């Protein structure tokens, strides 16, 4: 049973560029959340998707956007990259929207230069 | 606003030296308190969910407990392979987001 998968593993971008990160949830999971984790900090909630809709958003600017596809996979897009966007981006999935524990992928390490 | 504070920031133990990690939280109606383990450069690994005060859960050398304001992760006779960052998180009734603490970095020396 495959767990949560994310791609790519690592990414280097230049300030002002745009980036797309991808996530496939654990088999049977229909809810996907995205988190940003800076070095030495805990994950910070970006947003959650369920039934292809954004259910809730954290304190992140509109430069951060997402999408969920009918097969429950998801994308995170970040426009106009800033140096401060450098972080580990984590995707997590829930078995259903009404169960609370989340299962995380390995993350995508984004470096903005 | 929901908040999670973990202490200490870092903890160094000798192999076999038992100790506890603390997680203090404020939340508007607790749906669940979670503990995760995170190894460097990897995603968090789910350990426990606690739902109400007085609840306890165990897994190998780890035991998590919950009160109305705090949770403790007790580590009994730790081994070097227990070295990792331990994250505490809460989900309240006010929405769908999970709030994480900054974590406790545990180092266990052989």
């Amino acid at each position: 049973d495959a767990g949560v998968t994310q791609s790519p593993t690592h990414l280097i971008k230049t300030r002002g560029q745009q980036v797309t990160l991808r996530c496939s949830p654990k088999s049977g999971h229909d809810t996907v959340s995205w988190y940003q984790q800076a070095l030495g900090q805990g994950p910070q909630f970006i947003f959650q998707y369920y039934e292809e809709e954004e259910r809730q958003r954290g304190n992140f600017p509109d430069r951060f956007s997402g999408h969920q596809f009918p097969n429950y996979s998801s994308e995170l897009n970040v426009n106009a990259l800033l140096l401060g966007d450098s972080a580990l981006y984590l995707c997590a999935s829930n078995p259903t929207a009404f169960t609370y524990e989340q299962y995380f992928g390995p993350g995508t390490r984004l470096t903005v230069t | 606003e929901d908040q999670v504070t973990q202490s200490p920031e870092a903890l160094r133990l000798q192999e076999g030296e038992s100790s506890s990690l603390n997680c203090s939280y404020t939340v508007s109606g607790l749906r669940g308190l979670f503990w995760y383990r995170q190894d460097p450069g990897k995603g968090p690994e789910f350990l426990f969910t606690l739902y109400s005060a007085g609840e306890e859960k165990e897994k190998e050398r780890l035991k998590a407990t919950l009160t109305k304001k705090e949770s403790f992760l007790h580590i009994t006779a730790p081994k070097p392979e227990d070295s990792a960052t331990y994250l505490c998180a809460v989900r309240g009734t006010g929405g769908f987001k999970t709030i994480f603490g900054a974590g406790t970095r545990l180092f266990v020396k052989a």
Side-chain angles (χ1 to χ4, degrees), chain A residues 27-64:
Chain A
S27 177
H29 290 194
D30 63 5
T31 302
V32 173
S33 301
W34 286 92
Y35 292 83
Q36 180 193 67
Q37 187 176 25
L39 206 60
Q41 299 298 315
Q44 289 204 347
F45 177 82
I46 303 175
F47 39 54
Q48 183 181 91
Y49 277 85
Y50 172 65
E51 292 187 339
E52 302 179 49
E53 296 287 332
E54 182 183 294
R55 300 183 80 190
Q56 187 170 4
R57 187 180 187 88
N59 294 328
F60 281 82
D62 291 345
R63 298 187 296 109
F64 290 77

Side-chain angles (χ1 to χ4, degrees), chain B residues 30-64:
Chain B
L30 182 67
R31 291 270 195 212
L33 183 140
F34 315 99
W35 284 97
Y36 289 86
R37 169 191 170 128
Q38 186 173 28
D39 292 304
K42 297 188 177 181
E45 174 191 347
F46 173 74
L47 294 173
F48 305 109
T49 303
L50 301 169
Y51 294 101
S52 58
E55 190 175 0
E56 299 182 353
K57 288 194 176 175
E58 290 188 65
K59 180 180 180 180
E60 298 180 356
R61 295 177 291 283
L62 301 177
K63 179 180 177 180

